[in-house]
Amino acid sequence: MRTIDDLDVAGRRVLVRADLNVPLEDGRITDDGRIRASVPTIQRLRDKGARVIVCAHLGRPKGEVRPEFSLAPVAARLGELLGAEVAFAADVVGESARAAAEGLTDGQVALLENLRFEAGETSKDDAERGAFADRLAALAEAYVGDGFGAVHRRHASVYDVPKRLPHAAGGLIAAEVEVLKRLTEDVARPYAVVLGGSKVSDKLGVIDNLLGKADRILIGGGMVFTFLKAQGHEVGGSLLEEDQLGTVREYLRRAEESGVEFVLPVDIVAATAFAADAEHSVVAADAIPADRMGLDIGPESGKLFASRLAGAGTVFWNGPMGVFEMEPYSHGTRAVAQGLLDSGAFTVVGGGDSAAAVRTLGFDENGFSHISTGGGASLEYLEGKALPGLQALED
């Protein structure tokens, strides 16, 4: 895979596909982690004299121009982090975008409006997607793929544009791929995997693949209740995927057969309602009252999980242990994050809600070996799937 150093970019317009899909509240960025992660590649191109045109998506506007998904706040924050003005184009491939691109001088940066305001970006029709890719590629003379959080998507800016321009991987993608190879090809053992989040179905592929690779798998979050139900326990009003019970029972059987240690919580924080001020208490994992819902793993489970991470050589974590945004249900996620820090292992936080939890709960990001910017992309890589955005950069 070529890197920026393999491209001649001085004095040339370079289109950078970044991942700037940050959470917004009333037009205010609540977590700028992805923007900060994109800065080194953009700055490297500036230092090399490139004229940098950044493109990215935000949310799911589904091909419609929706002001609440505008990248304007991101342009302002990116400019602050770069210490330089970032010109903002009011469209993606229209008159404003062309003017912004053509108006750049060496070392200057422009950001295009939300890629997903254009239906061609995400179209499953190759011709429609290709027509949009033609217009996007026409803005630049070279392409740098650096939006790791989107490389599992066969979208125009990720998959089709690099086929039309000299291309290379940015520093962020190169770093993410290097880390993922350490999780799949040269793993320091014991290899522990912590999976949480709301749905078992989101993690089926990765559990299936890791059953032959990980030494122990720890399960928390909303997905754990399908495991507990599969073992015959009452889960009350907790999240439950009835249609996955058979699959989960098969995973538990395979784990036992193959010697993979499956670790489930021993206690649960169960509440009367999905609210921070709801009545809640700690109950045994096999004794959740029928009129309550589990919203976090309990304190004994936090200690158990930390003990199973201690001494690990490698830890991959994807998905919070509970509703960490509400203080009463944040302690399980906090215990796991601390367990990673204390483990002495090569630790990877797999993007998405896990990365947000690390920042929300006040942990020092530098304490972890790597915090991924792409949860979905990381999981698909660990499932063994080919990622279209990486394939395009390797061609």
Side-chain angles (χ1 to χ4, degrees):
M1 191 180 291
R2 288 184 294 272
T3 69
I4 291 172
D5 291 332
D6 298 317
L7 284 181
D8 178 14
V9 300
R12 305 176 78 194
R13 294 190 305 278
V14 179
L15 184 71
V16 178
R17 188 10 168 137
D19 180 7
L20 305 176
N21 187 26
V22 294
L24 293 175
E25 273 182 23
D26 301 320
R28 182 179 61 85
I29 297 166
T30 57
D31 181 355
D32 68 355
R34 283 178 168 158
I35 306 176
R36 287 187 284 112
S38 298
V39 165
T41 291
I42 296 169
Q43 186 58 51
R44 175 78 175 132
L45 288 165
R46 293 183 70 212
D47 293 343
K48 289 170 70 69
R51 304 175 182 195
V52 184
I53 306 160
V54 183
C55 64
H57 75 277
L58 197 156
R60 293 177 177 166
K62 299 184 178 177
E64 298 177 11
V65 176
R66 295 175 57 183
E68 67 268 30
F69 291 119
S70 173
L71 282 170
V74 174
R77 181 59 181 146
L78 180 60
E80 291 171 359
L81 292 167
L82 288 170
E85 183 182 355
V86 172
F88 182 63
D91 55 32
V92 185
V93 289
E95 190 175 321
S96 180
R98 289 193 299 273
E102 292 167 6
L104 293 172
T105 59
D106 296 358
Q108 288 188 327
V109 181
L111 175 64
L112 307 180
E113 185 52 284
N114 192 338
L115 286 163
R116 292 188 184 172
F117 284 177
E118 295 278 349
E121 164 67 1
T122 59
S123 176
K124 289 182 168 53
D125 181 88
D126 290 349
E128 183 183 11
R129 208 177 59 243
F132 172 65
D134 287 340
R135 297 178 69 193
L136 190 57
L139 297 173
E141 299 158 276
Y143 173 92
V144 170
D146 208 41
F148 180 73
V151 293
H152 58 314
R153 307 294 187 195
R154 192 179 289 264
H155 291 171
S157 65
V158 175
Y159 180 74
D160 300 278
V161 174
K163 296 176 180 295
R164 289 157 168 78
L165 292 169
H167 55 268
L172 178 59
I173 277 187
E176 293 273 12
V177 170
E178 184 180 336
V179 165
L180 287 168
K181 285 182 176 177
R182 288 188 64 173
L183 294 178
T184 53
E185 296 175 13
D186 187 24
V187 185
R189 296 191 178 276
Y191 181 16
V193 176
V194 188
L195 296 175
S198 58
K199 293 183 177 180
V200 173
S201 53
D202 290 344
K203 307 287 196 309
L204 287 177
V206 77
I207 295 173
D208 187 63
N209 204 33
L210 287 170
L211 275 173
K213 297 180 173 68
D215 297 299
R216 60 188 69 121
I217 300 175
L218 290 64
I219 303 288
M223 63 187 285
V224 79
F225 302 107
T226 303
F227 281 85
L228 293 174
K229 184 74 171 180
Q231 292 180 323
H233 304 311
E234 171 67 58
V235 296
S238 309
L239 275 174
L240 176 64
E241 289 181 275
E242 294 267 8
D243 60 335
Q244 300 299 340
L245 289 171
T247 304
V248 165
R249 289 189 189 102
E250 175 63 13
Y251 286 159
L252 291 170
R253 186 197 65 77
R254 280 174 56 197
E256 187 172 359
E257 194 175 78
S258 60
V260 175
E261 182 185 1
F262 239 96
V263 185
L264 298 178
V266 293
D267 58 353
I268 295 291
V269 180
T272 54
F274 188 82
D277 59 356
E279 182 184 331
H280 60 273
S281 60
V282 176
V283 299
D286 60 359
I288 299 172
D291 60 350
R292 294 205 172 199
M293 61 179 68
L295 296 180
D296 193 13
I297 63 171
E300 291 305 313
S301 301
K303 292 175 188 173
L304 171 64
F305 281 24
S307 74
R308 303 315 294 143
L309 297 178
T314 303
V315 181
F316 173 75
W317 170 34
N318 183 283
M321 297 295 100
V323 189
F324 72 91
E325 299 90 344
M326 300 182 192
E327 197 281 333
Y329 320 120
S330 65
H331 303 288
T333 302
R334 183 180 294 280
V336 163
Q338 190 63 52
L340 262 74
L341 291 175
D342 294 342
S343 69
F346 176 71
T347 53
V348 179
V349 180
D353 288 339
S354 313
V358 164
R359 290 188 276 269
T360 299
L361 298 176
F363 286 95
D364 180 2
E365 294 178 52
N366 295 321
F368 302 90
S369 305
H370 182 75
I371 297 181
S372 178
T373 56
S378 296
L379 287 175
E380 290 202 13
Y381 191 101
L382 293 179
E383 284 178 42
K385 290 184 177 179
L387 306 186
L390 296 187
Q391 286 181 310
L393 292 174
E394 288 165 353
D395 289 345

